[in-house]
Amino acid sequence: MVTSSDVQRLFLQAVFSRGILSYNHALVLWEKCVDAVKVANPALDVHASDRRQEWDAFVNRINDSLNPLDLEFRHVLDEETGKEMYAVVNTRGDEIAQMATDYSPTEIAYFRAVVEQIMLAPNECYSLSSLAALREVNALKTNMTKSQAETVLNSLVARGWLLKSKRGRYSLSTRALLELSPYLKSNYPDECLECTICMEIVTRGVACNTPACQTHIHHHCFRKLPAKQARSCPTCQCNWPQDGRTLRPIGEAAIKDGQDEGRRRSRKSTAEASDEENEEEEDSGMEEHEPSQSQRHKRQTRSNAAVEVDEGEEQEEEKQEEEEEELPRPSRATKSRTESRRRRK
């Protein structure tokens, strides 16, 4: 029998088939799902609305049913347009959840390697050229060929995980930032830049030109700034141009073609970093326990003095023995006279 909960089921099926959708698109789907359920059961008292409060209540009901499955219907603003985008994301980060996809373990490992190179890209460009992306196959200990890797890249772009620009550079899409946000913040804390306005991850935007200034802003956040606030940096208060074109770019515009065709970048694991720290501590500990040059000189002087004293005592003992040997020994006649005198006394 058709019930009001079937609206949520139809809506989730539509979302799963599309991967990611905008706020306006989600409102249209909600309305269509309500109409379909009312056709099957006209007695149901369900309705759709474009009021924000009712939409948020509908989203909360959806998340209540998804929470036992470690899923969430989450939203984020698109970095370029600023549109509110929605998608069902996986809140579990274990290996079992990662395997629950249409991609094989080898393809997932390749996607992870591409994401790492995007996050470690120079000049905060957060993008990777096609040649560099295909070169990641050599770093994997698998039998994947470059033609297979190219097929996987095309599939990731078609499913909305990666974006490919006109320059042929790959970058993280809105869906990837939405679902992989906990993974990126956990594994790349130094590379994840936060927008000074909305506090979300920035991979496309602008930054302040002042050295050591930590201001990073999305394009849409910069456009929404009031005229007075857009004239100066919110952190260091330096003067800004109103159009923002002379600010330091973040994203693909921050790198030139061929600038990242050199050596691949790798991130040190936690184990390697701890091993290096332990080695440094051991080296510093050995340096602390190791005696200084003055201490070594004192110890050497003491040992030399002790050797000289021992040699002097041995020489004195040898002299005494030689003197005793040189003294004349009493003859037998002298011994007999001495014994007879003792008897008379």
Side-chain angles (χ1 to χ4, degrees):
M1 184 178 179
V2 178
T3 60
S4 59
S5 60
D6 290 329
V7 176
Q8 301 176 15
R9 294 190 182 94
L10 290 176
F11 182 80
L12 288 175
Q13 289 177 359
V15 172
F16 282 130
S17 64
R18 288 163 176 80
I20 189 170
L21 65 163
S22 64
Y23 170 69
N24 294 330
H25 192 180
L27 290 179
V28 174
L29 286 180
W30 183 23
E31 183 179 359
K32 297 295 182 181
C33 293
V34 170
D35 295 340
V37 171
K38 283 187 175 182
V39 170
N41 188 358
L44 289 177
D45 184 15
V46 292
H47 64 279
S49 174
D50 57 355
R51 295 177 56 186
R52 186 71 191 196
Q53 185 176 1
E54 295 188 9
W55 165 254
D56 292 339
F58 177 67
V59 172
N60 290 333
R61 292 195 298 270
I62 291 177
N63 286 328
D64 290 340
S65 60
L66 291 178
N67 286 336
L69 304 176
D70 295 320
L71 298 175
E72 182 182 357
F73 186 55
R74 191 182 299 172
H75 75 279
V76 71
L77 298 180
D78 185 87
E79 290 188 294
E80 290 291 343
T81 62
K83 292 183 179 180
E84 190 175 1
M85 308 298 293
Y86 283 84
V88 176
V89 300
N90 195 339
T91 59
R92 178 184 290 183
D94 57 7
E95 296 296 332
I96 297 178
Q98 294 176 4
M99 294 294 294
T101 63
D102 296 336
Y103 294 102
S104 64
T106 302
E107 294 171 342
I108 294 176
Y110 175 67
F111 175 58
R112 189 183 294 112
V114 172
V115 170
E116 178 170 323
Q117 294 304 306
I118 292 175
M119 294 302 297
L120 300 179
N123 302 335
E124 297 177 353
C125 69
Y126 295 105
S127 60
L128 190 66
S129 65
S130 300
L131 294 177
L134 295 177
R135 189 178 57 194
E136 285 302 303
V137 176
N138 300 329
L140 297 178
K141 297 180 180 179
T142 60
N143 295 326
M144 177 182 285
T145 62
K146 290 187 177 181
S147 60
Q148 293 174 343
E150 188 174 3
T151 302
V152 174
L153 290 173
N154 294 333
S155 175
L156 292 172
V157 172
R159 297 191 179 189
W161 290 103
L162 293 177
L163 296 176
K164 188 175 183 180
S165 66
K166 296 179 180 179
R167 296 170 56 186
R169 300 187 65 87
Y170 293 98
S171 60
L172 297 179
S173 65
T174 304
R175 180 184 182 184
L177 293 175
L178 182 61
E179 185 160 353
L180 301 180
S181 178
Y183 171 81
L184 297 177
K185 292 180 180 180
S186 175
N187 291 273
Y188 309 98
D190 298 334
E191 289 77 18
C192 285
L193 304 179
E194 288 187 352
C195 178
T196 308
I197 305 302
C198 66
M199 305 305 293
E200 294 291 342
I201 295 179
V202 181
T203 61
R204 287 179 289 274
V206 292
C208 182
N209 292 323
T210 304
C213 183
Q214 299 299 321
T215 298
H216 308 90
I217 302 179
H218 292 114
H219 290 298
H220 64 87
C221 290
F222 182 82
R223 290 192 295 265
K224 293 178 182 177
L225 287 176
K228 294 182 179 180
Q229 296 182 5
R231 294 177 182 175
S232 62
C233 175
T235 303
C236 66
Q237 304 302 321
C238 71
N239 294 328
W240 277 4
Q242 293 184 357
D243 56 0
R245 294 180 180 178
T246 59
L247 295 177
R248 181 165 57 87
I250 300 175
E252 186 176 340
I255 193 170
K256 299 179 181 179
D257 293 335
Q259 194 171 353
D260 60 345
E261 299 299 336
R263 295 179 56 187
R264 68 181 302 271
R265 290 165 176 80
S266 60
R267 177 178 55 88
K268 293 183 179 180
S269 61
T270 305
E272 292 177 353
S274 60
D275 292 341
E276 290 183 359
E277 292 178 357
N278 294 333
E279 290 178 359
E280 291 178 358
E281 292 178 357
E282 291 178 358
D283 294 339
S284 61
M286 292 176 65
E287 290 178 357
E288 291 177 358
H289 294 293
E290 187 176 359
S292 61
Q293 186 174 0
S294 59
Q295 293 176 346
R296 293 176 183 173
H297 180 68
K298 291 179 180 179
R299 293 181 181 177
Q300 186 67 25
T301 305
R302 292 175 184 174
S303 62
N304 293 337
V307 172
E308 291 178 357
V309 171
D310 294 339
E311 291 179 353
E313 292 178 354
E314 292 179 356
Q315 291 177 358
E316 291 180 358
E317 292 178 356
E318 292 177 356
K319 289 181 180 180
Q320 290 179 0
E321 293 178 356
E322 292 176 355
E323 291 176 356
E324 291 177 355
E325 290 179 355
E326 292 177 355
L327 291 175
R329 296 181 180 180
S331 59
R332 293 181 179 178
T334 305
K335 290 181 180 181
S336 60
R337 291 175 183 173
T338 303
E339 291 178 356
S340 59
R341 289 176 182 175
R342 290 177 180 176
R343 291 175 183 174
R344 289 176 183 176
K345 290 180 179 181

